[in-house]
Amino acid sequence: MIVLLKLKENQDIYLKGGSEAVILLHSFTGTVRDVKKLANLVHNEGYTCYVPAYKGHGLSIESLIEYDINDWYQHVQESYDFLKESGFEKISVLGVSLGGLLSLKLTEMNGINKCIIMSTPQKRTTKDIKRRLYSYGERINAIQGLEYEESNRQLSLIEQYDEGSKVFSEMIEDIMDNLKNIQVPVLIMYGELDEPSYKESAEYIFEQLTTNIKTLISYENATHLMTQSKDKEKIERDIIKFLNK
């Protein structure tokens, strides 16, 4: 008899600290664990930290594909609104991969103080998105201990995620088209052990930004999930230094 592991929905993390706040955003198919340690470090520097847990992430593939990037951005916007309503005047944002995209979007649409992005893609095709979902589905199905038939049934649902993949790609295009509207300090980071396209994306974003204060840094021993790579301590120091400036 196979005992299935019951998945629990991730919860937002709210660490009350000083009068300046930082929103930390995790990756596509990731969870709050992507940035939890970093949030604690930033909190220890005196900042209030908020980590939204995107709907569906960390759950079955069937649950994840009930949502799309618009739902995840709405949650990020609501997190910003909560902090503003709580009296925070200076709010910065940082994110990994999808979190980097949503950081740029939030910065464009609101009065963000500083923006930090890591491993942020310049573009994504629907094929890229479905491939990432398939990889996630295989991993989460194995964690749950699903039977072969049920695992295949859930993986087959990914082919129906056409609209979700389409709006994902379209939002990336919109974000890239509006980089010129961002006029606050931006730190762009990428790992040299990541796919080459992320280096190209980082350089493209750096060139397109018209803000007077922008910095591009590469990390020799960093993979895609930079916050958990071999260079994570160096990355953490650079993030805190940028926030403290």
Side-chain angles (χ1 to χ4, degrees), residues 52-162:
Y54 314 148
K55 292 293 184 182
H57 283 64
L59 300 179
S60 68
I61 193 68
E62 188 171 19
S63 297
L64 177 57
I65 61 177
E66 290 179 9
Y67 305 96
D68 64 34
I69 195 169
N70 288 322
D71 297 308
W72 305 323
Y73 177 70
Q74 182 181 350
H75 191 172
V76 171
Q77 181 65 56
E78 288 169 353
S79 302
Y80 172 83
D81 293 340
F82 166 76
L83 290 170
K84 288 295 287 186
E85 290 163 7
S86 299
F88 292 94
E89 294 297 326
K90 289 186 176 181
I91 303 172
S92 296
V93 63
L94 69 84
V96 185
S97 196
L98 168 61
L101 290 167
L102 299 182
S103 294
L104 291 169
K105 178 77 171 175
L106 190 72
T107 302
E108 181 210 337
M109 302 299 292
N110 301 273
I112 291 293
N113 191 41
K114 295 175 183 176
C115 177
I116 301 170
I117 61 172
M118 294 171 267
S119 309
T120 304
Q122 170 194 351
K123 57 185 175 182
R124 270 286 173 266
T125 66
T126 56
K127 186 177 179 181
D128 293 333
I129 294 160
K130 287 183 177 180
R131 184 169 61 242
R132 184 71 175 272
L133 285 171
Y134 196 88
S135 176
Y136 172 82
E138 287 186 315
R139 185 174 77 251
I140 206 76
N141 290 354
I143 290 171
Q144 294 178 90
L146 295 186
E147 297 278 5
Y148 178 79
E149 291 78 9
E150 174 59 16
S151 179
N152 276 356
R153 184 192 72 80
Q154 294 221 18
L155 292 173
S156 70
L157 298 174
I158 295 169
E159 286 308 312
Q160 302 172 23
Y161 198 65
D162 291 330

Side-chain angles (χ1 to χ4, degrees), residues 19-36:
S19 60
E20 291 191 35
V22 181
I23 300 172
L24 299 94
L25 305 177
H26 67 78
S27 66
F28 181 47
T29 70
T31 68
V32 294
R33 287 190 295 274
D34 290 354
V35 293
K36 186 176 181 179

